[in-house]
Amino acid sequence: MAETVPAPYVTDGTDFRGALKYHYGIALRRFAKFGIPCAVIFVQMYLWPMEYRGFLLPVAIIGFLGFMFTSILFYARMSMIWNCSRVFRTYPLEFRGPLEQGRLENRKQYLRFSQQAGQLVTMLPKDPLQRSGWPKRAVDGVWFAGDDPFGGAAIVPGTGELLFMQPSEWHQTAEARENAGGDRITQAKRAGIKKAVRY
């Protein structure tokens, strides 16, 4: 389980913008901390005379690989936060809980909402910042925006983690999505959750 640290923004479901801004900021700072220095290590090879570049090539290769790796992570994090943003701007936040914490497979934690939603869909949540562990407070409930057969996004009260969710068995919930009705399907499309998101 992840450490419980109070969020520096409101997590009571009244404003999702603070959570998005905070997570965007962390993703940018992590890229600046690791990606930019790697880019500098790579580029500095070209600042030296040709006769020295052979010696600097191994270091430049390490810098290039480091920059590519951090760039891929940065893109993945920003994309996932953007996915959460689209959901929050399309669906209202509502408190859902408690959650049934399911199996842990390949570092993926599965969960289900309580029966109050009228159906039990096993969700696969994803932390956009890829933090290790499971948010302790998530089992008590989360502020959720979305539509169960399509998925959605959530904010953990208190600690403020963002979670992007979609049904773990996407094909098994296909019928529920097809029978959701035109308005719900249109809304899911606008939120970017009509189709499965790879993560």
Side-chain angles (χ1 to χ4, degrees):
M1 294 237 180
E3 291 296 321
T4 302
V5 179
Y9 48 87
V10 177
T11 62
D12 61 0
T14 58
D15 185 13
F16 58 82
R17 293 171 181 82
L20 294 172
K21 181 179 179 181
Y22 178 78
H23 283 73
Y24 277 130
I26 289 182
L28 285 167
R29 286 195 296 272
R30 288 184 180 178
F31 178 73
K33 183 177 180 180
F34 299 105
I36 293 178
C38 287
V40 171
I41 290 172
F42 172 68
V43 172
Q44 59 86 32
M45 181 181 74
Y46 297 98
L47 303 178
W48 290 83
M50 286 293 295
E51 58 266 23
Y52 297 107
R53 292 183 184 178
F55 299 104
L56 296 171
L57 182 60
V59 177
I61 291 174
I62 292 173
F64 175 75
L65 293 176
F67 176 73
M68 292 300 296
F69 178 72
T70 54
S71 295
I72 291 170
L73 282 180
F74 177 67
Y75 175 78
R77 289 166 179 162
M78 295 295 280
S79 295
M80 193 62 64
I81 298 169
W82 170 244
N83 289 338
C84 291
S85 175
R86 290 185 66 183
V87 173
F88 290 144
R89 295 177 194 281
T90 306
Y91 294 95
L93 283 160
E94 60 175 349
F95 188 78
R96 297 280 294 275
L99 305 184
E100 298 178 17
Q101 191 172 344
R103 64 190 186 280
L104 178 65
E105 292 181 3
N106 300 322
R107 300 179 66 184
K108 295 179 180 179
Q109 180 72 59
Y110 296 84
L111 63 84
R112 288 188 300 182
F113 291 116
S114 63
Q115 188 64 46
Q116 70 186 45
Q119 56 185 329
L120 287 175
V121 177
T122 301
M123 295 284 190
L124 178 60
K126 176 72 172 182
D127 182 341
L129 298 179
Q130 302 165 327
R131 288 168 288 207
S132 61
W134 175 249
K136 288 182 179 180
R137 290 193 169 183
V139 293
D140 297 326
V142 295
W143 288 98
F144 177 77
D147 192 341
D148 286 30
F150 298 93
I155 299 174
V156 179
T159 53
E161 292 95 335
L162 279 185
L163 297 175
F164 183 78
M165 303 181 184
Q166 62 185 22
S168 59
E169 302 296 339
W170 185 260
H171 298 294
Q172 292 184 12
T173 54
E175 184 177 353
R177 287 190 295 276
E178 292 169 0
N179 298 330
D183 291 342
R184 287 173 64 190
I185 292 174
T186 299
Q187 193 174 23
K189 185 176 181 179
R190 189 165 65 248
I193 54 176
K194 183 176 180 293
K195 297 181 180 179
V197 176
R198 294 185 61 185
Y199 56 81

